């Protein structure tokens, strides 16, 4: 009598290296974008020339210079209604996005904010840069997409909150979710 074919072997559980690679793959991108946006926001807020409506290096002068070459000149016109307020809003937005990304606090929302800032800068400030790959705003926009999709699964406030909501309690549970080992 013929014997039944053997059942296929179950796939092996991923090893430590594979789990770590998957969990920490976005961490360098998160750190780079977070630090870059915090720096950009602080740089703008501490530059008195930038936070002026007119003059060399002012946000107003920058907007005037790119207005005719922008993909969305109406967006530039909107910023020119009050260039100082626009400059402060961009700087505070960059700071909030950078801090949210670094700490992993509302990380998908922070990444979406970063993508929106990068998109608006690409369509205005760096739109006329040729060839297109010399402009950095498009690269930042593409860099934010994985963080919008995945969030900050490890080493983040979001991971700790997820772990506590998932029924875990106490220090061990918080540590395991902080490092991405808990249920999420």
């Amino acid at each position: 009598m013929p014997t039944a074919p053997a059942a296929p072997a179950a796939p092996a559980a991923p090893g430590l290296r594979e789990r770590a690679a998957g969990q920490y793959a976005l961490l360098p991108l998160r750190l780079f974008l977070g630090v870059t946006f915090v720096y950009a926001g602080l740089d703008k807020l501490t530059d008195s020339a930038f936070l002026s409506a007119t003059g060399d290096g002012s946000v107003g002068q920058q907007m005037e210079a790119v207005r005719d070459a922008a993909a969305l000149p109406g967006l530039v016109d909107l910023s020119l209604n009050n260039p100082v307020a626009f400059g402060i809003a961009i700087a505070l937005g960059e700071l909030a996005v950078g801090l949210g990304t670094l700490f992993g606090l509302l990380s998908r929302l922070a990444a979406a904010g970063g993508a929106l800032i990068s998109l608006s800068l690409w369509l205005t400030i760096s739109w006329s840069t040729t060839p297109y790959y010399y402009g950095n705003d498009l690269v930042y926009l593409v860099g934010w997409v994985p963080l919008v999709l995945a969030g900050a699964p490890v080493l983040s406030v979001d991971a700790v909150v997820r772990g506590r909501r998932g029924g875990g309690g106490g220090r061990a549970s918080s540590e395991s979710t902080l490092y991405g080992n808990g249920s999420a």
Side-chain angles (χ1 to χ4, degrees):
M1 176 181 258
T3 59
L16 178 61
R17 184 181 313 177
E18 291 82 12
R19 285 194 319 270
Q23 291 172 345
Y24 296 98
L26 293 177
L27 194 55
L29 180 63
R30 198 174 117 206
L31 292 173
F32 171 75
L33 289 172
V35 167
T36 300
F37 270 59
V38 166
Y39 180 81
L42 290 175
D43 189 45
K44 288 174 179 69
L45 289 173
T46 58
D47 185 353
S48 59
F50 177 79
L51 293 178
S52 299
T54 59
D56 288 342
S58 70
V59 64
Q61 180 192 44
Q62 290 179 23
M63 293 292 109
E64 288 284 348
V66 300
R67 194 238 175 257
D68 292 333
L72 298 176
L75 189 58
V76 177
D77 290 339
L78 184 63
S79 72
L80 286 170
N81 288 335
N82 191 340
V84 175
F86 175 76
I88 291 171
I90 287 291
L92 291 176
E94 287 172 336
L95 191 57
V97 161
L99 291 172
T101 301
L102 284 174
F103 288 106
L105 177 62
L106 302 173
S107 55
R108 285 190 169 123
L109 180 61
L116 186 61
I117 290 170
S118 297
L119 177 64
S120 66
L121 292 174
W122 177 53
L123 293 173
T124 55
I125 301 293
S126 61
W127 181 256
S128 63
T129 303
T130 56
Y132 76 93
Y133 49 84
Y134 282 173
N136 61 347
D137 296 313
L138 180 58
V139 176
Y140 287 130
L141 172 60
V142 173
W144 285 113
V145 172
L147 297 178
V148 169
L149 296 174
V154 295
L155 299 176
S156 66
V157 174
D158 290 348
V160 171
V161 169
R162 242 188 343 268
R164 289 191 178 159
R165 283 189 191 156
R171 180 181 170 148
S173 176
S174 293
E175 286 176 359
S176 67
T177 56
L178 177 65
Y179 295 106
N181 300 332
S183 60

